[in-house]
Amino acid sequence: ARPLKEQEIADFKNNCRSHGYSPAVILPHDSYLINLGNPDPKGLERSRTAFIKEMRRCRQLGLTALNLHPGSHKKMIGETECLDRVAESLNRALEEVEGVTAVIENTGGMGGQVGHRFEHLAHLIEKIRDKDRVGICLDTCHLFVAGYDIRTPKAYQKTMDEFDRIVGFHYLRGMHLNDSRGELGSRRDRHHSLGRGELGWEPFRMIMEDPRM
């Protein structure tokens, strides 16, 4: 991406102030092309460089968090090795850029993606040296297609209790509220409009009424 211009930075900050948006409620997403667990050494370095640039852009804009997909092993290395590469990528970025928290989004597990199990997210957090600058973003579509049911009160409670036990609600920094075109456990990462997909409206009612959110 081209460098931000000083006027663009000033306009962004002025617009945020005038419309009442603080940095705490803005969660930008990094480029989908970035793969911090890339099995190819050259591709991994390019992704790491690109992610650090994204972190610096957040810093320029006065933003305090950056959402990311952890990455994919492309079926060329094991899950644990890929997760360790992601963690090392994040450690490098957090050391390079101050003041921005890395918010890891759970994935649907499509195409060799890591991050589709709560255990993956916990593994990443464990490997991050600065625990105060790592968080989790839960995507409801990704949860569902990865095999975590949230359609009924019983299923919702079971999934959220499992998240709290394995990862911890104190790491939850954001949510992506999406319905799903894919079925439960399908690994088919295709979002749908709220209430129109396989999830329906009930999960979103429960989320809005959950005091932990």
Side-chain angles (χ1 to χ4, degrees):
R2 64 171 177 77
L4 294 170
K5 298 177 181 178
E6 289 300 321
Q7 189 59 52
E8 291 174 322
I9 295 170
D11 288 345
F12 177 81
K13 291 179 177 180
N14 287 334
N15 284 332
C16 287
R17 279 193 294 269
S18 64
H19 293 287
Y21 289 100
S22 70
V25 300
I26 301 173
L27 184 60
H29 201 302
D30 72 344
S31 167
Y32 291 111
L33 298 176
I34 292 173
N35 180 2
L36 296 179
N38 199 323
D40 173 60
K42 290 183 179 179
L44 179 61
E45 285 308 310
R46 283 197 298 269
S47 287
R48 285 173 170 173
T49 299
F51 185 73
I52 288 171
K53 286 183 178 180
E54 296 269 30
M55 294 275 280
R56 286 176 176 152
R57 288 165 72 86
C58 287
R59 188 82 168 144
Q60 285 179 295
L61 294 170
L63 301 180
T64 57
L66 177 61
N67 192 90
L68 65 125
H69 290 173
S72 170
H73 52 65
K74 298 185 176 182
K75 301 180 181 178
M76 295 170 62
I77 58 175
E79 280 186 346
T80 301
E81 184 178 352
C82 183
L83 287 165
D84 287 345
R85 289 187 180 206
V86 174
E88 181 54 30
S89 299
L90 292 176
N91 280 326
R92 291 189 190 188
L94 292 172
E95 289 171 3
E96 189 80 18
V97 184
E98 297 180 350
V100 181
T101 294
V103 180
I104 306 163
E105 181 181 342
N106 67 307
T107 69
M110 186 171 70
Q113 292 174 332
V114 293
H116 58 280
R117 304 301 304 167
F118 292 153
E119 289 81 2
H120 291 185
L121 304 178
H123 182 97
L124 290 172
I125 291 171
E126 181 184 354
K127 295 282 184 175
I128 299 299
R129 289 188 282 273
D130 188 349
K131 298 290 191 292
D132 292 331
R133 292 176 61 205
V134 61
I136 298 298
C137 173
L138 285 180
D139 184 299
T140 52
C141 170
H142 297 171
L143 265 181
F144 185 67
V145 300
Y148 295 101
D149 199 357
I150 55 173
R151 292 172 296 182
T152 66
K154 184 177 180 181
Y156 174 87
Q157 195 62 45
K158 179 183 177 183
T159 291
M160 293 305 171
D161 286 348
E162 188 174 348
F163 173 77
D164 193 26
R165 176 174 56 83
I166 296 173
V167 179
F169 262 97
H170 55 287
Y171 283 112
L172 186 65
R173 291 292 300 270
M175 294 192 75
H176 289 170
L177 302 181
N178 298 297
D179 211 324
S180 173
R181 294 180 187 273
E183 297 177 352
L184 178 66
S186 66
R187 302 278 187 96
R188 184 170 175 257
D189 182 2
R190 293 291 181 268
H191 297 171
H192 209 329
S193 299
L194 298 188
R196 294 182 60 189
E198 295 291 327
L199 285 170
W201 280 112
E202 193 58 28
F204 304 106
R205 291 192 183 98
M206 289 187 285
I207 287 168
M208 295 304 292
E209 292 173 354
D210 190 336
R212 295 173 296 187
M213 306 305 183

